[in-house]
Amino acid sequence: MTEETPGFEEKPDVPSGATSDDAAEAAESPSVEEGAAAPAGDANQTGQSVGLTAQLDQTRTALAERTADLQRLQAEYQNYRRRVERDRIAVKEVAIANLLSELLPVLDDIGRAREHGELVGGFKSVAESLETTVAKMGLQQFGKEGEPFDPTVHEALMHSYAPDVTETTCVAILQPGYRIGERTIRPARVAVAEPQPGAAPAAKEEKSADEENGGPEEG
């Protein structure tokens, strides 16, 4: 049986003829290899970080593009809703205007009956109910005697001259006009009067004579 010698330490194999310094270098060589392997691990981590950064940039770019697409679609949808609402209101206004246009002759008959004192009894109640209903639908009557003539809302059926007007004036309403909001569905048919020819020049000549004489004479 072989006895182990206390304190004996196993040393790396050293070629015959090697000095003690060679043995020390052989013992330290594994640590040098381990140190050389460390930079390779750092390079792998750096490469992974660069790859993750590139993926993150791509994700951010894709997110920005999708966000812009969503905003554009939302804006187009809002514009579409506004167009639909505007068209719906326009169609409604046209339909109401067409309906009320068909009722204008009836309203004219009611107005003539009222002027002649024939709007009495049950006929009066029906006429007033009809007028109230069309007023709720937005129908407005216009055209009064004495207002200036406006060719955009008046239709002149009769023409004359009058000494007491200074501009073309509606002197009689032959048929009232009707509008819905800003839309005129029938112009007011009127008789108009203009100032007497030569009246304005005469007034100007009289004023010029007064100015030359130093003003009108005091009585």
Side-chain angles (χ1 to χ4, degrees):
M1 182 176 182
T2 305
E3 293 182 359
E4 294 181 358
T5 303
F8 179 79
E9 294 180 359
E10 183 178 358
K11 297 182 178 179
D13 295 335
V14 180
S16 60
T19 63
S20 60
D21 294 336
D22 295 334
E25 291 178 359
E28 293 177 355
S29 60
S31 61
V32 173
E33 292 177 355
E34 292 177 357
D42 294 341
N44 291 336
Q45 292 180 358
T46 302
Q48 291 178 357
S49 299
V50 172
L52 291 174
T53 302
Q55 291 180 0
L56 181 59
D57 292 339
Q58 292 178 356
T59 303
R60 288 176 177 172
T61 302
L63 178 60
E65 292 176 353
R66 299 300 178 270
T67 302
D69 292 340
L70 179 60
Q71 292 174 346
R72 183 168 57 254
L73 288 174
Q74 186 175 8
E76 291 177 356
Y77 176 67
Q78 293 296 334
N79 293 333
Y80 169 75
R81 287 188 59 186
R82 283 193 289 267
R83 287 196 303 270
V84 170
E85 182 65 17
R86 185 169 59 248
D87 293 343
R88 185 186 67 82
I89 294 174
V91 170
K92 181 180 178 181
E93 291 178 351
V94 170
I96 293 175
N98 292 337
L99 173 62
L100 295 178
S101 297
E102 298 296 328
L103 294 176
L104 294 186
V106 179
L107 296 176
D108 292 336
D109 292 339
I110 292 174
R112 284 189 289 267
R114 182 179 285 113
E115 291 176 357
H116 292 84
E118 299 175 355
L119 199 62
V120 294
F123 178 57
K124 179 180 179 181
S125 299
V126 173
E128 291 177 350
S129 297
L130 178 61
E131 290 175 338
T132 301
T133 301
V134 297
K136 289 181 179 179
M137 296 177 69
L139 186 67
Q140 299 176 350
Q141 185 183 102
F142 67 90
K144 295 181 180 179
E145 295 182 5
E147 64 185 6
F149 175 75
D150 184 354
T152 62
V153 295
H154 297 140
E155 181 181 352
L157 300 182
M158 298 178 64
H159 176 270
S160 62
Y161 296 97
D164 56 344
V165 297
T166 58
E167 60 181 342
T168 305
T169 306
C170 301
V171 294
I173 306 299
L174 307 178
Q175 216 172 35
Y178 289 95
R179 66 165 63 97
I180 301 176
E182 300 298 326
R183 180 195 298 268
T184 300
I185 61 176
R186 190 181 76 181
R189 291 162 181 168
V190 300
V192 299
E194 292 182 337
Q196 289 283 357
K204 290 182 179 179
E205 290 177 0
E206 181 178 355
K207 182 177 180 180
S208 299
D210 291 339
E211 290 176 354
E212 291 178 357
N213 296 330
E217 296 181 358
E218 295 183 358

